Amino acid sequence: MSDAANSNFILPPGTQIVTLVQITSSDGATLYPRGAVGVIVKSPADNSHSYRARLADGFEASLHRREIAVLRHFQRETITNAMAELDLYDFVIYRCVVGSRAYGLEEEGSDTDRRGIYLPPASLHWSLYGVPEQIENHEAQECYWELQKFLILALKANPNVLECLYTPIVETATPLAEELISMRSVFLSKLVYQTYNGYVMSQFKKLEQDISRGSIKWKHAMHLVRLLVSGVTVMKEGYVPVRVEAHRERLLAIRRGEVGWEEINEWRLRLHKEFDAALAQTKLPDRPDYHRANEFLLKARRQVVDYEP
């Protein structure tokens, strides 16, 4: 967690700190420059009062929370901030809309959730700074995975990532992204059965806990059923059905709390049986095509070797 995120936390005595301001004498002379290292010897009751910090030579100073940073946070953020001028969103190669608008389940006021892929230049991968596995803008409801992370999640049959490859609403796609879409079937395998069931079982357990407390989250119940419907289709027909118009009214009724839990659970159990039967008859391979996915990643990496941000 960053130092800024911890700004309301009272730092205990013994915490090593870095000063963010100059320390001056009563006549204004500089005693210690910004960046001096010390240790907290006395903590205040709250952050409206000052800390007592002892510097390396034994001198003690009173400093407010805004005037100090935790040493280990300061060291880490110095490296992170060195690449702050670089906008990683400039390297987005694929942007699509997922969620309720892609499912055909949107209502008035529904959010627009965007997901996608970014491919940073090789020089960033090789640099001290490295690249994050994903970049997010919570206010804009956006999340982009670095290409390698995206491919790994797709190979694991992550439902959210597979839906990115099959959504009908694509806003940005470079030629490289279009190539990935054209080969999206290589990510489908019998692993879908295990992964989707894992998500459903986890969600079902949470719903049971909600029911015991009398506070069921109907939206979660709707997505549990929707995911099972999707999984059955993947097994039977070999593609991910993002839009669910055929079940729209019934799913929306669940989200509005108009369908009893018993009826929802009966539908869930029927879908599980259908899912089991579809697994036994599916033509999908046991595993996705790891070799094809790896060849694509290597090709993409080679394309950005000479790019200089």
Side-chain angles (χ1 to χ4, degrees):
M1 185 177 293
S2 70
D3 205 55
N6 267 321
S7 60
N8 292 321
F9 179 73
I10 301 299
L11 301 174
T15 303
Q16 290 186 319
I17 55 94
V18 176
T19 62
L20 301 179
V21 294
Q22 290 183 342
I23 297 176
T24 58
S25 63
S26 57
D27 60 1
T30 299
L31 298 178
Y32 299 91
R34 181 184 185 278
V37 176
V39 62
I40 292 174
V41 293
K42 185 177 181 180
S43 302
D46 58 65
N47 278 320
S48 64
H49 295 83
S50 61
Y51 288 81
R52 193 69 179 169
R54 181 178 296 126
L55 303 186
D57 62 0
F59 180 84
E60 293 188 3
S62 294
L63 296 162
H64 284 87
R65 182 65 181 89
R66 64 180 178 276
E67 297 175 322
I68 58 177
V70 177
L71 177 60
R72 67 176 185 275
H73 296 166
F74 182 82
Q75 292 169 329
R76 181 173 64 242
E77 290 175 3
T78 297
I79 292 179
T80 302
N81 292 339
M83 63 176 293
E85 295 181 3
L86 195 62
D87 189 350
L88 295 177
Y89 289 93
D90 290 341
F91 306 115
V92 169
I93 63 171
Y94 182 63
R95 178 182 289 108
C96 64
V97 175
V98 295
S100 60
R101 295 191 182 279
Y103 303 145
L105 298 173
E106 74 276 13
E107 295 182 309
E108 186 176 351
S110 291
D111 292 332
T112 300
D113 299 310
R114 291 181 172 85
R115 300 290 182 269
I117 305 167
Y118 85 102
L119 177 61
S123 57
L124 276 184
H125 275 283
W126 299 335
S127 71
L128 284 173
Y129 317 125
V131 295
E133 290 187 335
Q134 65 186 52
I135 52 177
E136 297 180 74
N137 183 332
H138 295 290
E139 289 185 6
Q141 301 290 317
E142 291 181 292
C143 175
Y144 302 95
W145 291 279
E146 198 280 322
L147 177 61
Q148 182 176 345
K149 180 66 173 181
F150 183 92
L151 294 176
I152 290 173
L153 291 173
L155 289 166
K156 291 180 177 179
N158 179 289
N160 296 322
V161 168
L162 291 181
E163 287 172 3
C164 287
L165 292 172
Y166 283 84
T167 178
I169 310 176
V170 175
E171 296 181 335
T172 301
T174 66
L176 191 66
E178 290 176 350
E179 181 179 341
L180 178 61
I181 297 303
S182 71
M183 56 176 273
R184 61 191 178 185
S185 62
V186 307
F187 299 101
L188 300 184
S189 71
K190 292 178 182 177
L191 286 179
V192 167
Y193 177 82
Q194 285 83 26
T195 304
Y196 278 45
N197 263 318
Y199 275 77
V200 168
M201 290 171 61
S202 175
Q203 192 63 62
F204 181 68
K205 182 178 180 180
K206 292 177 183 177
L207 285 169
E208 283 190 314
Q209 293 172 346
D210 291 341
I211 292 169
S212 68
R213 293 191 293 263
S215 59
I216 187 169
K217 296 179 176 63
W218 297 109
K219 183 177 180 179
H220 294 174
M222 178 195 73
H223 283 303
L224 179 152
V225 173
R226 182 193 60 78
L227 194 59
L228 278 171
V229 168
S230 177
V232 169
T233 303
V234 175
M235 289 291 106
K236 285 184 174 180
E237 302 181 33
Y239 78 96
V240 180
V242 176
R243 296 195 70 81
V244 288
E245 287 99 334
H247 305 283
R248 173 182 164 84
E249 295 308 317
R250 194 175 181 188
L251 289 171
L252 288 178
I254 291 175
R255 186 165 71 184
R256 292 192 295 264
E258 298 170 358
V259 182
W261 174 247
E262 285 189 9
E263 183 179 338
I264 295 171
N265 200 36
E266 288 175 3
W267 190 8
R268 177 187 72 86
L269 292 173
R270 288 197 302 272
L271 286 169
H272 272 299
K273 290 181 179 179
E274 195 174 347
F275 206 5
D276 293 343
L279 173 65
Q281 299 175 7
T282 187
K283 296 180 180 178
L284 291 178
D286 291 337
R287 294 289 184 269
D289 193 336
Y290 298 110
H291 177 75
R292 182 93 178 272
N294 188 58
E295 286 298 309
F296 177 81
L297 177 61
L298 293 175
K299 175 181 179 179
R301 290 277 189 258
R302 293 186 185 105
Q303 288 189 9
V304 292
V305 164
D306 296 326
Y307 181 87
E308 290 297 333

